[in-house]
Amino acid sequence: PTMAHSKALLVLENFIGGRFVPCSSYIDSYNPSTGDVYCRVPDSGKEEVEAAVKAAKDAFPIWSSKSPLERSQILNKLADLIEHDLEAFAQAESKDQGKTITFARTVDIPRAVHNFRFFASSILHHVTECTEMPAMGCVHYTSRAPVGVAGLISPWNLPLYLLTWKIAPAIACGNTVIAKPSEMTSVTAWMMCKLLEKAGVPPGVVNVVFGTGARAGEALVCHPDVPLISFTGSTRTAQRITERSAPHCKRLSLELGGKNPAIIFDDADLSQCIPTTVRSSFANQGEICLCTSRIFVQREIYSEFLKRFVAEAKKWKTGNPSDPTIDVGALISKEHLEKVRTYVKKAQAEGARVLCGEGVDPLALPPGNQKGYFMLPTVIAEVKDESCCMQEEIFGPVTCVVPFDTEEEVIRRANGVKYGLAATVWSRNVGRVHRVAHRLQSGLVWTNCWLVRDLNLPFGGMKASGIGREGAKDSYEFFTEVKTITIKH
Ligand code: NAD
């Protein structure tokens, strides 16, 4: 069926050494809101990665010797060009990923623009260290240099947003890169490639090789001339990347999954907490690594919370992502939708109560979206802590709500999973908020808010949620090699 429609399909090409190059084989890419194949993505492997590594190595001497200011100006230009085409990028991201057009317009693409502007600025402000040893007649200082060719591998949930969060710091620091977006969401990366020349990015500085993790991703991870890999994706893939890169002792940055708790004390301001926690559970169909999926509510307010939370969740409209009044779009794939549904069925089989959403409420879809991968925001109560729904990352519009009694107990239960990415704490008691935040095993803790980010500060997870951090200083350190130099006079 794909061949018959091939004329109408969008066909992507790899971007290597400043040129678009076709590939010998392709993968089908689906529009999640209709279930149709609408795009073909290069199925790159070793050969394509080899060509990209060569281009990136060739470009490195010139790019790395440019001043930070020159690179900064190019990054700013690229930001302007993406911003100029913001609407086209947002439409493409929504169609390719299934996310709502509103989310793509207000979150994904503006953040991609901001990623370039942010690192264009921050690269100008780093200072290295210096110490003196007068008794020895010595000064010590550090110098930082770009590492070389960076491999950047990103997932499907926030496609351009997360890819540019890696490309921007990598090239700002003077590295050249090979980016491998998810094979399920490659279109906006390809659109960005069309702007690179105009922005003044020299050929070979940014190469994009499309394809699967197993072929293109592994070829990049195993390539001896790619000394650093920045990866965002699942914990399982990160384990594989760690194994495959071990023979080369590569530098790895791993941003992985989460099973993020929200802890809601009985003095929380529910008028703020409820809409924010609905949003933190269901934004982008729950397909954000930072989404809340375990909500612990202090027993005194548990029943009131549940009632108001379910009523608020029911307000979220699921349907055609290109309709600006829609809150919940389509999930990424048919397989993923099935996987998410299976969790709800397992919870039911274990005796949990599904209060709204999947299997409980009717899902009415427009005629054009009947074959799309939709699911209603689903709230589950009375789930046991050891249930897979409370332990594993579901990565869909499903959230579990359970009661707790004491601070001590909730800290232990919140920490009782293998992940440690993000947590939210709701309370008006300042002392308690600090105490709990300090004891949570979590790379990020938001109190009385969610997803408020300052890109200057470290982002990343502990335990199975990752290794390393990203941010102004952290990305600079990751994407540069430091040297300590001692001068005796
Ligand atoms: P995934 O691990 O399946 O894929 C991520 C990327 O890795 C894709 O580009 C994929 O093609 C590639 N890949 C797969 N196998 C590979 C291999 N063997 N070698 C090299 N590359 C390989 O993850 P996904 O399903 O695309 O994304 C969802 C996951 O990402 C969730 O677990 C989510 O929590 C996580 N995530 C984390 C963050 C964060 O910042 N911590 C942000 C967003 C998403």
Side-chain angles (χ1 to χ4, degrees):
T2 49
M3 290 314 289
H5 299 294
S6 62
K7 272 216 178 97
L9 296 179
L10 177 64
V11 181
L12 309 189
E13 289 179 324
N14 287 325
F15 189 74
I16 298 172
R19 292 195 355 228
F20 284 101
V21 282
C23 192
S24 53
S25 60
Y26 289 83
I27 314 159
D28 287 339
S29 183
Y30 294 80
N31 174 340
S33 70
T34 63
D36 297 329
V37 172
Y38 86 105
C39 171
R40 310 199 74 206
V41 176
D43 184 12
S44 310
K46 275 194 183 141
E47 206 180 301
E48 291 76 11
V49 167
E50 191 61 54
V53 172
K54 185 174 179 311
K57 280 171 72 178
D58 289 350
F60 183 74
I62 291 181
W63 184 248
S64 59
S65 62
K66 282 195 188 297
S67 70
L69 184 60
E70 282 175 289
R71 293 197 291 259
S72 169
Q73 284 162 343
I74 294 173
L75 262 69
N76 275 321
K77 185 80 201 285
L78 183 55
D80 292 346
L81 292 170
I82 298 173
E83 190 170 52
H84 180 266
D85 292 348
L86 193 144
E87 182 57 23
F89 272 98
Q91 294 282 352
E93 203 74 295
S94 169
K95 186 172 183 180
D96 203 24
Q97 207 275 340
K99 65 179 67 227
T100 65
I101 184 65
T102 306
F103 201 82
R105 266 182 200 145
T106 58
V107 179
D108 288 80
I109 310 305
R111 174 59 190 275
V113 170
H114 187 61
N115 286 338
F116 283 112
R117 290 213 178 110
F118 179 81
F119 285 105
S121 166
S122 80
I123 195 64
L124 303 176
H125 306 291
H126 295 294
V127 285
T128 52
E129 296 152 293
C130 178
T131 60
E132 290 183 77
M133 277 184 175
M136 303 291 290
C138 286
V139 290
H140 308 276
Y141 70 94
T142 58
S143 91
R144 284 193 172 265
V147 184
V149 178
L152 313 176
I153 302 176
S154 58
W156 49 255
N157 61 328
L158 300 165
L160 193 65
Y161 171 139
L162 288 174
L163 193 62
T164 54
W165 175 236
K166 298 184 186 304
I167 294 175
I171 65 173
C173 292
N175 302 281
T176 57
V177 307
I178 298 158
K180 210 281 308 154
S182 167
E183 62 276 26
M184 287 185 274
T185 53
S186 294
V187 174
T188 48
W190 172 77
M191 289 170 67
M192 182 196 70
C193 293
K194 296 198 219 178
L195 304 176
L196 294 175
E197 189 181 350
K198 198 168 174 196
V201 180
V205 172
V206 175
N207 306 277
V208 183
V209 171
F210 298 102
T212 64
R215 295 192 66 230
E218 289 227 9
L220 197 50
V221 166
C222 298
H223 200 291
D225 297 337
V226 179
L228 69 177
I229 299 285
S230 174
F231 169 80
T232 298
S234 65
T235 303
R236 185 202 278 234
T237 303
Q239 288 163 337
R240 173 85 183 161
I241 288 176
T242 306
E243 271 175 38
R244 301 294 281 153
S245 62
H248 305 285
C249 294
K250 293 197 181 193
R251 186 186 292 205
L252 300 180
S253 165
L254 306 171
E255 294 289 347
L256 315 177
K259 188 69 192 170
N260 311 309
I263 300 176
I264 298 161
F265 287 99
D266 59 10
D267 65 341
D269 175 355
L270 291 186
S271 68
Q272 299 274 328
C273 168
I274 288 174
T276 304
T277 309
V278 168
R279 195 164 56 85
S280 72
S281 296
F282 303 124
N284 205 47
Q285 299 70 246
E287 295 169 332
I288 304 181
C289 55
L290 305 167
C291 275
T292 302
S293 61
R294 297 181 291 146
I295 305 175
F296 295 93
V297 185
Q298 206 156 23
R299 200 172 303 273
E300 289 71 11
I301 56 164
Y302 182 67
S303 57
E304 184 199 349
F305 178 91
L306 260 190
K307 203 166 93 221
R308 288 171 61 179
F309 186 80
V310 169
E312 186 73 23
K314 282 186 166 183
K315 287 188 199 156
W316 279 49
K317 278 170 50 189
T318 303
N320 188 350
S322 58
D323 173 347
T325 68
I326 287 295
D327 307 291
V328 183
L331 274 66
I332 184 68
S333 68
K334 200 172 179 166
E335 295 70 30
H336 188 57
L337 174 63
E338 276 319 308
K339 183 183 146 194
V340 176
R341 280 185 173 146
T342 304
Y343 278 104
V344 181
K345 289 199 193 95
K346 279 188 192 161
Q348 275 170 317
E350 289 168 2
R353 275 194 308 141
V354 179
L355 301 177
C356 66
E358 175 66 18
V360 176
D361 299 307
L363 171 56
L365 292 167
N369 299 106
Q370 298 288 330
K371 291 199 195 125
Y373 319 133
F374 294 91
M375 179 171 171
L376 292 168
T378 300
V379 180
I380 311 179
E382 274 113 66
V383 197
K384 294 192 182 66
D385 284 7
E386 36 316 334
S387 161
C388 61
C389 289
M390 286 286 277
Q391 291 291 325
E392 296 170 20
E393 183 183 49
I394 300 175
F395 219 55
V398 178
T399 198
C400 299
V401 190
V402 292
F404 75 91
D405 291 295
T406 68
E407 187 178 310
E408 197 62 31
E409 169 207 339
V410 78
I411 292 169
R412 178 179 47 76
R413 291 171 67 193
N415 288 340
V417 294
K418 69 173 181 171
Y419 294 105
L421 185 56
T424 53
V425 180
W426 291 87
S427 169
R428 285 188 263 214
N429 178 330
V430 173
R432 174 152 68 190
V433 157
H434 280 291
R435 254 186 342 259
V436 175
H438 281 279
R439 291 182 61 197
L440 287 173
Q441 295 166 349
S442 179
L444 305 142
V445 181
W446 280 293
T447 68
N448 302 321
C449 63
W450 177 69
L451 205 53
V452 181
R453 291 269 293 115
D454 177 348
L455 304 189
N456 283 296
L457 299 189
F459 176 92
M462 45 179 82
K463 302 193 329 195
S465 292
I467 295 177
R469 297 290 185 272
E470 298 178 307
K473 186 158 170 280
D474 298 84
S475 299
Y476 174 64
E477 288 175 355
F478 179 75
F479 286 113
T480 55
E481 190 78 80
V482 69
K483 188 181 287 175
T484 301
I485 298 170
T486 303
I487 310 283
K488 185 167 162 50
H489 53 80

